[in-house]
Amino acid sequence: MRKWFEKAHGAIIWTIAIAFVAGIVIWSLTSYFYSRKSKVEYSLDDTVAYLTKDGTALASDFWIFPWDLEQSYSQALTYYQITEVDPIFEEPMLKTSLLNDLIDTKTVLYYAEVNNIKPEKTEIDSAIEEQVKKVEENEKLLNYVNQKFGGIENYKKSIEPDIIRYLTINKVRKKVAKIDESEMKDYYEENRDDLIVKYDTADVDFVSFSNQASANNFINQALIKGFDQAATDLGLSVQNYPNFRRGIIAQEFEDVIFSSTNTLVGPVPLGSNYFVFKVNSFTSVDTFEKFSLSKGYQEVMSQLQGDRFRAEMEKFKNEENIGSVINSEIYQVWNDVLTNSGTSLLNVYKKLNEMIFDFNTDTVKDDIPSEIKAAFVVLVDKISSDASLVNNDILQDAEKEAKIVLESVYKDYPDSFVAVKKMRESFPDRKDIMYNYYTMLYSKIKPYIEYGMIQNIMNDFIDLYRGFTTLSEATDITLDQKAEVLYNLYEINKMLKDATTASRYLEKLKDATPDYMDFDAAFNELEFMKNATSTN
């Protein structure tokens, strides 16, 4: 989840472009459902956000409705294969990020309208036919389209608006974000050293030694017999490093590696060992001509195009006095939290503090949405991690208030995993919270344990097992909770095929609650596992 947000937030991804890439199935579902709403007249009160010019709302083409945001959200979850989202902490954060992308999209489309940029009919028809071809090549999709739309022609009409928007955005991008060869060359000359470090790569084999004398002896042998034969004769393990980059070893050795192939380089001191490298091949970007043929060229081109595009859109908004209004208190609050930094966060803190707290009773107001309370908790976390605010006088009070607000969120939504995890961090001695946290964590990672993929969640598993063990020995939890913990430990060890440890927890469970389950059958199963293991 965090990976997706870090990738998406702060970058212009424009949801319509995602929809185009993500595929026709998403379009089919969303376009069919939401196109039925277009015949209804809506007002600004129905929007979640809209563009303004000189402070006045633009035409409805530049409004964003709740169903637009839901469509964008659905597409993003599908495209990034996100299957689980916390409804209080993560969902409003993601939707706010996507809402900003939708606002950016509307701004681009308004730029296109002002500058009369639009795709030709032939371009639109070609893009539609390309999508239709994909449908007709897939029998399941074709049946779906015929069922939902009554045929291909109706389907074409349904996806045409999305395709026009996508093509329009591409045309605007090509117009305002063009980077020519001379600009790329200038960038290369100004950043040559950094680009060489980033994009020079080599395919090398290497062997390592604990002392320099052994490394020198190997080099002498390799110069006579060859690298591989010398390694074989000395019983050395040859390792391959297919993506060796600069910045790992001293420059004097790097320069040799990136100068010619079939070269021995070493002994190279690194840590407490000495390495000898054989250069199989290398790619260098030490001239502009070489750089222009590398993948780095396209990456830099995309970066410069993105920078120019954003700069041009900011210029357009300033010159035309284009703004936006987020017409939702929840998303506006999250937007304030996510888009501010440094001392500006303190202004957001003061605003939310007044919104959330009843200062007559020093409690959280009853009518505050949980999503806003969650935003306050995230805000204080953000303030706490900002180096420029570490010694601020407000911080200590803010952290105390965040705990109060977090307890309120947890009370409202005890099933929020993020809330219970934060409660676990804030109140480490509370066994009721510990129990809820580890029970929820177990439900999340149990499939990985069950299907032998524990290496994918090793840190969580270690934390889980330690937590359950602590709870199994606790005297301040209920009998039902202890029974559940003991059963989980029995079940975990059974899945790990550790019948001996599983039996021990099963005995403890039987002692605590004799009527909990059919213990005879469970013990028989474990005994069978032990016998099977000893036989094998």
Side-chain angles (χ1 to χ4, degrees):
M1 170 60 59
R2 182 166 298 279
K3 183 179 179 182
W4 178 86
F5 180 70
E6 289 172 350
K7 181 177 180 181
H9 183 61
I12 301 179
I13 56 174
W14 299 301
T15 308
I16 186 63
I18 288 183
F20 196 85
V21 173
I24 206 70
V25 176
I26 295 175
W27 267 358
S28 300
L29 287 167
T30 54
S31 297
Y32 175 76
F33 181 75
Y34 291 112
S35 63
R36 293 178 295 174
K37 301 179 182 292
S38 60
K39 298 178 182 179
V40 181
E41 292 293 330
Y42 293 100
S43 70
L44 283 176
D45 291 338
D46 299 309
T47 66
V48 69
Y50 56 88
L51 295 190
T52 64
K53 178 174 172 56
D54 301 324
T56 302
L58 288 172
S60 59
D61 285 345
F62 306 101
W63 299 358
I64 300 167
F65 295 96
W67 49 87
D68 297 322
L69 182 56
E70 290 302 323
Q71 176 180 355
S72 167
Y73 181 63
S74 174
Q75 290 167 350
L77 294 185
T78 301
Y79 183 68
Y80 289 102
Q81 299 181 338
I82 299 171
T83 57
E84 193 170 349
V85 180
D86 188 278
I88 305 303
F89 284 87
E90 294 173 342
E91 184 175 325
M93 175 186 71
L94 298 181
K95 285 185 175 179
T96 301
S97 177
L98 290 168
L99 182 57
N100 281 319
D101 292 329
L102 287 170
I103 290 171
D104 288 336
T105 301
K106 293 293 185 182
T107 302
V108 176
L109 293 172
Y110 185 64
Y111 179 98
E113 180 177 287
V114 169
N115 292 278
N116 195 30
I117 300 173
K118 54 187 177 182
E120 301 292 336
K121 186 176 186 306
T122 53
E123 294 175 296
I124 299 169
D125 291 344
S126 176
I128 291 175
E129 289 305 320
E130 184 178 343
Q131 297 304 316
V132 169
K133 183 180 178 182
K134 291 179 182 178
V135 171
E136 292 177 336
E137 289 173 349
N138 186 313
E139 185 178 353
K140 289 183 179 179
L141 273 181
L142 183 59
N143 291 337
Y144 167 81
V145 166
N146 287 329
Q147 180 184 358
K148 285 292 184 183
F149 300 94
I152 289 292
E153 290 305 313
N154 289 337
Y155 176 70
K156 287 181 180 180
K157 293 176 184 177
S158 176
I159 67 172
E160 183 175 355
D162 280 342
I163 287 180
I164 291 173
R165 285 191 285 273
Y166 170 77
L167 294 174
T168 301
I169 289 170
N170 266 0
K171 277 189 166 288
V172 172
R173 187 177 183 89
K174 288 179 181 178
K175 174 181 170 62
V176 306
K178 186 177 180 181
I179 302 292
D180 59 33
E181 188 80 355
S182 64
E183 291 176 287
M184 287 294 291
K185 194 166 188 176
D186 289 343
Y187 182 88
Y188 175 82
E189 295 300 334
E190 293 171 5
N191 300 275
R192 179 178 178 275
D193 290 345
D194 292 338
L195 292 171
I196 286 174
V197 170
K198 185 174 183 179
Y199 292 111
D200 273 11
T201 60
D203 182 319
V204 300
D205 291 335
F206 67 90
V207 288
S208 63
F209 304 88
S210 60
N211 59 76
Q212 188 171 359
S214 297
N216 282 326
N217 178 57
F218 171 78
I219 291 175
N220 292 332
Q221 300 254 5
L223 289 173
I224 298 171
K225 304 176 181 179
F227 184 91
D228 293 331
Q229 187 60 52
T232 300
D233 290 349
L234 293 172
L236 300 173
S237 174
V238 177
Q239 304 293 319
N240 178 250
Y241 194 167
N243 196 31
F244 180 88
R245 294 180 180 273
R246 291 183 181 270
I248 298 174
I249 61 177
Q251 186 174 345
E252 60 183 291
F253 298 112
E254 279 183 354
D255 291 341
V256 179
I257 287 177
F258 290 100
S259 62
S260 63
T261 58
N262 295 318
T263 302
L264 291 181
V265 182
V268 179
L270 191 61
S272 59
N273 291 328
Y274 291 84
F275 291 78
V276 178
F277 296 91
K278 183 187 75 169
V279 183
N280 299 317
S281 63
F282 70 90
T283 301
S284 180
V285 295
D286 56 351
T287 68
F288 178 72
E289 288 70 25
K290 293 178 182 177
F291 175 65
S292 66
L293 299 174
S294 72
K295 70 172 186 177
Y297 186 88
Q298 289 303 320
E299 289 180 3
V300 170
M301 172 77 80
S302 296
Q303 173 195 325
L304 296 180
Q305 287 175 333
D307 292 344
R308 179 163 294 178
F309 195 98
R310 285 185 286 274
E312 186 64 28
M313 289 302 105
E314 284 302 314
K315 178 183 175 184
F316 170 69
K317 289 192 288 185
N318 292 333
E319 290 178 349
E320 297 291 327
N321 197 20
I322 305 300
S324 61
V325 173
I326 295 180
N327 203 21
S328 159
E329 186 178 47
I330 289 173
Y331 298 134
Q332 182 58 61
V333 165
W334 272 97
N335 188 62
D336 290 341
V337 171
L338 296 174
T339 59
N340 282 280
S341 60
T343 54
S344 296
L345 290 171
L346 300 180
N347 295 327
V348 180
Y349 163 75
K350 291 174 183 176
K351 173 185 170 183
L352 291 189
N353 187 278
E354 293 174 0
M355 179 188 299
I356 292 172
F357 280 96
D358 181 342
F359 295 109
N360 293 323
T361 60
D362 287 329
T363 57
V364 176
K365 295 176 183 176
D366 294 333
D367 59 346
I368 303 299
S370 294
E371 295 87 346
I372 289 179
K373 290 186 283 190
F376 181 82
V377 173
V378 171
L379 170 67
V380 175
D381 285 344
K382 193 173 180 180
I383 292 173
S384 299
S385 62
D386 192 314
S388 66
L389 302 175
V390 168
N391 297 318
N392 194 283
D393 294 337
I394 291 178
L395 184 56
Q396 190 171 359
D397 288 339
E399 290 176 342
K400 290 179 181 178
E401 291 165 347
K403 284 188 175 184
I404 296 172
V405 175
L406 176 59
E407 286 190 275
S408 178
V409 174
Y410 180 63
K411 181 180 178 182
D412 293 342
Y413 282 89
D415 293 333
S416 163
F417 183 70
V418 176
V420 73
K421 184 176 182 180
K422 288 181 177 294
M423 286 287 288
R424 168 82 180 116
E425 294 165 355
S426 297
F427 303 96
D429 296 329
R430 282 185 53 178
K431 293 298 191 300
D432 60 325
I433 294 171
M434 182 186 292
Y435 171 81
N436 288 344
Y437 169 68
Y438 286 116
T439 299
M440 292 175 70
L441 178 61
Y442 182 44
S443 69
K444 285 177 173 293
I445 71 173
K446 181 178 176 180
Y448 292 91
I449 304 171
E450 189 171 6
Y451 295 107
M453 298 184 292
I454 197 170
Q455 68 277 5
N456 296 336
I457 44 91
M458 184 57 71
N459 289 338
D460 281 336
F461 175 76
I462 292 171
D463 179 34
L464 174 76
Y465 202 88
R466 185 187 297 122
F468 273 162
T469 302
T470 299
L471 286 168
S472 72
E473 298 167 355
T475 57
D476 52 351
I477 61 174
T478 68
L479 181 59
D480 286 344
Q481 290 173 337
K482 175 161 283 195
E484 193 69 19
V485 168
L486 290 170
Y487 179 83
N488 289 340
L489 286 166
Y490 147 74
E491 185 177 56
I492 289 170
N493 283 285
K494 188 172 75 167
M495 286 189 286
L496 295 176
K497 311 235 181 306
D498 184 352
T500 301
T501 306
S503 296
R504 189 168 71 247
Y505 283 112
L506 193 61
E507 286 283 4
K508 290 184 178 182
L509 177 60
K510 183 178 180 181
D511 290 342
T513 53
D515 298 326
Y516 187 86
M517 59 186 288
D518 184 347
F519 286 100
D520 289 339
F523 279 118
N524 287 337
E525 182 184 13
L526 294 177
E527 195 62 34
F528 178 81
M529 288 174 60
K530 291 177 186 178
N531 293 334
T533 302
S534 62
T535 301
N536 292 335

